[in-house]
Amino acid sequence: MEYRTSIEINAPLEKVWAVLADVERWPEWTESMEHLDIVGGSELKRGVKVRIKQPRLPAMVWEVTEIEPYRVFTWQANSGGVTSVGDHRLSVAPDDLVVAELSIRQTGLLASLVGLFTSGVTRRYAQMEAEGLKRRSESS
């Protein structure tokens, strides 16, 4: 299962990145997140683990596998035969709008089965995150 969404944000790239990278504050701007805790650290960097609790889903620990400030961060979680990869990419369009591209990909032996039960929630949460990132970044 894979889902991608993108949204244009009328805010400086630095502000959008600051909102996106401050993962522990995500519950303030998206209802798709109940609680996020960086485990054993205080900032988002490669190798850092983040415990995430989302409504209607079990808590999972995600590990940051790629990070390039102001451009991308990717994290991955493994649970019950499924590997989930969340990708967050920022780029600047010619009109100076920031384009945020969010994706979630699930692979593994049970990915198809899990996808049958969770694809609607996964898609809805990714869209909520994109819209929340836009609102938060565009606010003063």
Side-chain angles (χ1 to χ4, degrees), residues 78-129:
N78 299 298
S79 177
V82 178
T83 298
S84 300
V85 176
D87 194 53
H88 313 79
R89 295 189 178 269
L90 302 178
S91 60
V92 179
D95 55 5
D96 288 332
L97 294 175
V98 173
V99 178
E101 297 179 75
L102 310 178
S103 68
I104 182 87
R105 182 178 71 252
Q106 294 178 320
T107 59
L109 267 149
L110 300 177
S112 297
L113 182 62
V114 169
L116 286 174
F117 295 102
T118 64
S119 65
V121 169
T122 300
R123 291 172 193 271
R124 192 166 50 256
Y125 286 178
Q127 192 61 43
M128 289 169 75
E129 289 164 27

Side-chain angles (χ1 to χ4, degrees), residues 5-139:
T5 189
S6 65
I7 198 162
E8 291 184 338
I9 302 172
N10 188 12
L13 177 62
E14 295 79 13
K15 183 171 184 183
V16 179
W17 178 259
V19 172
L20 185 65
D22 190 1
V23 296
E24 290 180 310
R25 296 186 74 171
W26 283 19
E28 295 175 10
W29 53 262
T30 179
E31 292 182 16
S32 66
M33 297 288 176
E34 288 181 358
H35 197 79
L36 292 91
D37 283 312
I38 295 177
V39 180
S42 61
E43 67 181 67
L44 202 62
K45 60 184 178 182
R46 188 179 175 121
V48 160
K49 295 181 178 168
V50 181
R51 185 178 183 279
I52 299 175
K53 176 61 182 110
Q54 294 182 273
R56 301 180 57 195
L57 297 174
M60 293 179 63
V61 175
W62 293 72
E63 182 175 348
V64 176
T65 57
E66 177 186 5
I67 188 160
E68 185 179 335
Y70 307 102
R71 295 194 32 97
V72 62
F73 91 81
T74 303
W75 52 19
Q76 175 177 309
N78 299 298
S79 177
V82 178
T83 298
S84 300
V85 176
D87 194 53
H88 313 79
R89 295 189 178 269
L90 302 178
S91 60
V92 179
D95 55 5
D96 288 332
L97 294 175
V98 173
V99 178
E101 297 179 75
L102 310 178
S103 68
I104 182 87
R105 182 178 71 252
Q106 294 178 320
T107 59
L109 267 149
L110 300 177
S112 297
L113 182 62
V114 169
L116 286 174
F117 295 102
T118 64
S119 65
V121 169
T122 300
R123 291 172 193 271
R124 192 166 50 256
Y125 286 178
Q127 192 61 43
M128 289 169 75
E129 289 164 27
E131 292 168 3
L133 177 62
K134 176 181 176 68
R135 276 191 310 276
R136 182 63 160 237
S137 297
E138 291 180 350
S139 68

